[in-house]
Amino acid sequence: MTTTEQTLTGEHAELLEALGKHRFFLRYTVQGLTDEQAALTPTASQLCLGGLIKHVTRAEQGWYDFIQHGPDAHSGTDIEGHLNSFRMLPGETLEAVLADYEAVSRRTDELLTSGVDLNQSRPLPVAPWFPPNSSWSIRRVLMHIIAETAQHAGHADIIRETIDGQKSMG
């Protein structure tokens, strides 16, 4: 933990702590797995553990870009990229997927520890799932990243338990 993180207080610290908790659970689900196991889709869905981490990485990167550069920088409307983010593609390794997630996580953490203005707002990208002409504050974006990470950590826990019985909790 850096000195900045140790002295961070208030809402920024709480958001960082919540995000860190759910990231831990997501990463924990893949400990000790091979690339082949990380690519398995053992449930009724087409989700795999490596793909879930790729998806969360892509989503967090898109929202980070949105915070930094506005709605045109968000990659959320790229449907093929979105679909591929749920899969381990040929040649991808769990180690590389985790390294990408770590790099993106570090950038988001640095943004939070910088004391970014959580009230700053940006218009959302044009997409069918966003109401027209709406905006989100940086706070709302970070809450969305936390929620998405937590949701997919839960999915990952179910998939891991199906693969080999290991549970993240309980």
Side-chain angles (χ1 to χ4, degrees):
M1 189 178 280
T2 67
T3 304
T4 305
E5 289 171 312
Q6 290 174 341
T7 60
L8 191 64
T9 61
E11 189 175 9
H12 290 82
E14 290 173 2
L15 289 167
L16 189 60
E17 181 183 349
L19 186 53
K21 172 185 169 183
H22 296 296
R23 285 177 179 154
F24 168 81
F25 285 125
L26 182 59
R27 289 182 185 116
Y28 183 80
T29 60
V30 298
Q31 285 185 343
L33 292 181
T34 65
D35 294 336
E36 292 76 22
Q37 288 171 311
L40 290 173
T41 56
T43 64
S45 76
Q46 292 300 306
L47 298 176
C48 70
L49 292 170
L52 284 170
I53 294 171
K54 278 179 55 179
H55 174 71
V56 170
T57 301
R58 183 176 190 275
E60 187 169 326
Q61 178 65 53
W63 287 113
Y64 175 89
D65 292 343
F66 170 81
I67 290 169
Q68 294 293 89
H69 308 291
D72 293 337
H74 193 284
S75 60
T77 58
D78 170 19
I79 299 302
E80 183 177 351
H82 175 75
L83 293 174
N84 283 334
S85 75
F86 285 103
R87 303 179 183 117
M88 292 275 292
L89 300 175
E92 290 182 330
T93 66
L94 182 56
E95 181 180 5
V97 166
L98 286 168
D100 289 346
Y101 188 41
E102 181 61 33
V104 168
S105 297
R106 192 170 29 257
R107 288 177 63 189
T108 303
D109 292 354
E110 289 169 359
L111 180 72
L112 267 166
T113 58
S114 75
V116 65
D117 179 4
L118 298 173
N119 294 315
Q120 182 182 357
S121 186
R122 293 201 179 273
L124 288 169
V126 175
W129 45 88
F130 293 132
N133 305 312
S134 50
S135 297
W136 277 5
S137 67
I138 292 175
R139 176 183 295 101
R140 176 67 182 93
V141 170
L142 291 166
M143 289 173 20
H144 180 76
I145 292 169
I146 292 166
E148 179 135 343
T149 304
Q151 175 183 13
H152 291 308
H155 293 145
D157 192 38
I158 291 166
I159 293 169
R160 177 64 188 255
E161 189 174 356
T162 303
I163 291 171
D164 65 4
Q166 180 175 308
K167 299 177 188 178
S168 296
M169 297 175 62

